[in-house]
Amino acid sequence: MRLVHGEMDQETVFNENPAAQALEFVAAGCEWLHLVDLNGAFAGEPVNAAPVEEILAQCRVPAQLGGGIRDMATIERWISRGLARVILGTVAVENPQLVRDAAREFPGKVAVGIDARHGKVATKGWAEETDVDATELARSFEDAGVAAIIYTDILRDGAMKGPNVEATAALGNAVSIPVIASGGVSSLADLTALKSCGAPLNGAISGRALYDGAIDLKEALTLMQS
């Protein structure tokens, strides 16, 4: 399922079988899978554990998961079930010490998800606005040992209008933590723009464009690996 601008009333279901879809991505050459428990993000706790576990059981590539992961017990449970990386978003604002504790306990397995509208972070499945500046939040974790920052421009997400290259590049240049671009990546031209943005980005996440066929996955992987 995909949303537009993070709105649950603008959802589109692309495949009723998440594990089968994930296997298609792996067969095309994906070396990582990005998973989001959308319902969990709104609920504040895992909701779609069963399909995520099925993906982990069937797909032999590392996967990262965000959405509703807000305490150490949930982090430990997912990592023990084979998840390569948890993505902590809401708690990065509300309980940053948890991010630090988790990153120390599970080196290389904790990422921070920073989702922003107009440069300000949104939490709880993007439903709540904050006054927290996205770049300042990222900088606050410089010494925490997090594996990556996944930056999403909410206004671009699912809209097929291209990523916010300028904001993503600015964040990538502001921190030493690897930054992964997300939100609005809808063409090979978008990927080229991110590659040449002048910041050392670690990768890009695309969802709707892959389902719609706007991006050929094999071509995209070739481009990003070149």
Side-chain angles (χ1 to χ4, degrees):
M1 181 175 73
R2 289 290 302 168
L3 308 183
V4 177
H5 304 323
E7 301 292 340
M8 284 296 284
D9 61 357
Q10 296 191 57
E11 68 179 54
T12 302
V13 176
F14 289 96
N15 194 323
E16 297 285 355
N17 189 330
Q21 180 65 73
L23 284 169
E24 288 184 22
F25 289 152
V26 174
C30 281
E31 298 177 358
W32 270 86
L33 292 172
H34 175 73
L35 313 175
V36 180
D37 183 348
L38 290 172
N39 304 102
F42 283 91
E45 61 184 9
V47 174
N48 292 293
V52 172
E53 290 175 357
E54 187 175 357
I55 290 171
L56 295 178
Q58 294 191 35
C59 299
R60 302 304 178 188
V61 299
Q64 60 185 19
L65 171 70
I69 305 174
R70 298 179 190 171
D71 56 56
M72 187 65 83
T74 303
I75 294 168
E76 292 174 344
R77 183 164 63 251
W78 276 123
I79 291 176
S80 71
R81 293 178 182 179
L83 193 71
R85 185 186 289 166
V86 295
I87 303 168
L88 304 181
T90 295
V91 295
V93 175
E94 298 183 350
N95 186 7
Q97 188 58 46
L98 175 63
V99 176
R100 295 174 176 276
D101 292 344
R104 184 173 59 251
E105 183 72 18
F106 303 104
K109 295 183 178 294
V110 175
V112 171
I114 297 181
D115 310 318
R117 287 189 184 94
H118 304 297
K120 300 298 182 180
V121 178
T123 61
K124 294 182 172 62
W126 305 348
E128 293 193 9
E129 304 286 344
T130 75
D131 292 325
V132 178
D133 180 80
T135 300
E136 291 306 311
L137 180 63
R139 284 176 173 155
S140 73
F141 293 111
E142 279 279 27
D143 62 345
V146 299
I149 289 173
I150 298 167
Y151 175 71
T152 303
D153 186 305
I154 297 168
L155 297 179
R156 303 296 183 97
D157 188 74
M160 301 290 284
K161 294 182 178 179
N164 189 332
V165 176
E166 182 178 354
T168 305
L171 183 63
N173 284 320
V175 296
S176 61
I177 306 167
V179 172
I180 299 172
S182 177
V185 179
S186 56
S187 68
L188 293 179
D190 291 340
L191 294 174
T192 299
L194 288 169
K195 282 196 69 175
S196 59
C197 71
L201 302 182
N202 194 244
I205 293 168
S206 183
R208 188 183 190 101
L210 296 177
Y211 300 127
D212 284 347
I215 291 180
D216 180 277
L217 182 52
K218 290 185 178 181
E219 290 182 4
L221 290 170
T222 298
L223 172 63
M224 296 302 285
Q225 292 165 358
S226 63

